[in-house]
Amino acid sequence: MRFRIAAMAGAALAGLLVTGCQDTGQKQPESSPPPATPSSTASSAAPSTSLTPLPRVFDQAAMQDAVKNVLTQAYRIADVQTVSCPASQEVKPGSKFDCTVRTADKERKVGITVKDADGHYEVSQPD
């Protein structure tokens, strides 16, 4: 008899949980992913308690492709062979760095200026 009461109580509780999870037509706020946590290469017996998020950085390969597209399509430079941008450039508004562009006749620099925290940047004309 006790098993039957416990089973009925469990079924009632499950029904309440399901009812509480049903769609009421109201839009729920979207959650953002948890912040990145740093990884440690040092060995330690104690777990890391640091909650400092790692800085966002640009994807080097994607940036090189995008810069090459800007140079060939927007600036109409037809002889772009390769673009080399530095790795681990932080997505930080106002920061600047250079990419190296190899054309048929010489190597040139292209300035990159980060415009906002969303990762938009400006590509200058080659020097």
Side-chain angles (χ1 to χ4, degrees):
M1 185 71 167
R2 285 185 187 172
F3 176 73
R4 189 174 190 173
I5 292 171
M8 289 173 53
L13 179 59
L16 288 174
L17 291 175
V18 170
T19 302
C21 293
Q22 289 179 350
D23 187 7
T24 61
Q26 295 178 342
K27 183 171 167 85
Q28 297 294 317
E30 294 181 20
S31 63
S32 58
T37 56
S39 61
S40 174
T41 56
S43 61
S44 172
S48 174
T49 58
S50 175
L51 296 177
T52 305
L54 294 174
R56 287 183 53 211
V57 297
F58 287 104
D59 177 286
Q60 182 183 24
M63 174 168 273
Q64 291 170 168
D65 290 342
V67 169
K68 186 174 183 177
N69 284 338
V70 168
L71 294 174
T72 58
Q73 295 174 7
Y75 294 137
R76 305 219 183 268
I77 300 172
D79 57 352
V80 176
Q81 295 174 347
T82 61
V83 175
S84 177
C85 297
S88 302
Q89 291 299 307
E90 191 173 346
V91 179
K92 182 178 177 183
S95 64
K96 297 179 180 188
F97 57 92
D98 289 332
C99 294
T100 303
V101 177
R102 185 77 162 133
T103 60
D105 58 345
K106 62 181 168 178
E107 194 172 275
R108 303 157 81 172
K109 297 286 183 189
V110 174
I112 306 295
T113 304
V114 182
K115 302 309 270 178
D116 60 34
D118 291 330
H120 296 107
Y121 55 91
E122 183 177 270
V123 178
S124 69
Q125 289 192 16
D127 60 1

